[in-house]
Amino acid sequence: MRAVLSPRLSRDDPSATSPRAWPVPYADAPRDLDAALSLTRRGPWVLRGVFDDATLARLRASALLDAHPDAVPVAPVCEGRVVIDPRRGLGTAPRRLDDLIHSLATGTNDGYVAATRDELPAALAAAVASPAFTLGAPWRVGRLWVGGAGTVSALHRDLSHNAHTVIEGRKRFWIASTAHDRDLYPARPWSSVPNGSRVDPERVDLARFPHAARVRPWVAELGPGETLLLPSRWWHHVRTLDLSVSVNTFFATGSLARVVAAANAAKSLRGLNR
């Protein structure tokens, strides 16, 4: 895929695929963990063939409705934005998964699932698959994501690598490299989302954040069966374009795995849940 360099982030919608942004290149699913880590050293990738059709089928919304009506942790959504508690970060409350999916299907966008396997009922947790290439990682966490059209996850970064697969629907990822750390005005370390940014890529306030004009973003629009492999600490903002079901696996090796584990322990001590 031919990439076109963005001269700068603009006041127009920078989350839309356009000549302003680098499109994320495609690759086949890596054969093992070493091959995946090699890809992350070269930037983000959209991977094909990470999961087989049977795995995708059992995680589609219709399958979840039939097999997993149990209560799951659901974060509140207001005007398309996932609500972040100023003290604890991402707050959740139990809600039946079938009730949420029915609500989202009718256009009532009032909840968002971003739950780890440990937070899910056992049968549903077992259905949340991880890519084969992550299975050798000493630190690994899987999540299930269910959201309605228009749901936005604010710009943030994760210490670990991330393999995010869309099962159903579409998602648009606005991505920026670690080279833009200072340009994206990271949140204060003591904030409720210490890995977040104060910049909204869809409504850039250049008066408050002038260095954001230097950002050269990447864009990936994922459809069913596609996986975004995102390297450690790369910034990303996510807009769900249709009712969407996704799974992801955060993974890390070596010294990075130790750093991630320590950072998560520190957040837990502070009572943060994201």
Side-chain angles (χ1 to χ4, degrees), residues 86-139:
R87 292 173 298 177
R88 297 202 57 197
L90 183 69
T92 62
R95 181 174 173 183
R96 285 176 61 95
L97 184 55
D98 55 355
D99 174 68
L100 173 67
I101 291 174
H102 282 306
S103 180
L104 298 178
T106 60
T108 305
N109 190 3
D110 59 352
Y112 186 59
V113 176
T116 65
R117 284 195 188 90
D118 291 345
E119 297 172 308
L120 297 171
L124 179 54
V128 175
S130 287
F133 61 79
T134 68
L135 298 182
W139 187 91

Side-chain angles (χ1 to χ4, degrees), residues 31-34 36-37 130-140 249-254 257:
R31 65 186 180 279
D32 55 25
L33 181 60
D34 287 341
L37 294 173
S130 287
F133 61 79
T134 68
L135 298 182
W139 187 91
R140 182 164 51 92
T249 299
F250 296 113
F251 65 101
T253 63

Side-chain angles (χ1 to χ4, degrees), residues 59-66 101 167-168 243 245:
L59 286 166
R60 293 193 181 104
S62 57
L64 295 179
L65 283 171
D66 292 338
I101 291 174
I167 305 296
E168 184 172 3
L243 194 161
V245 178

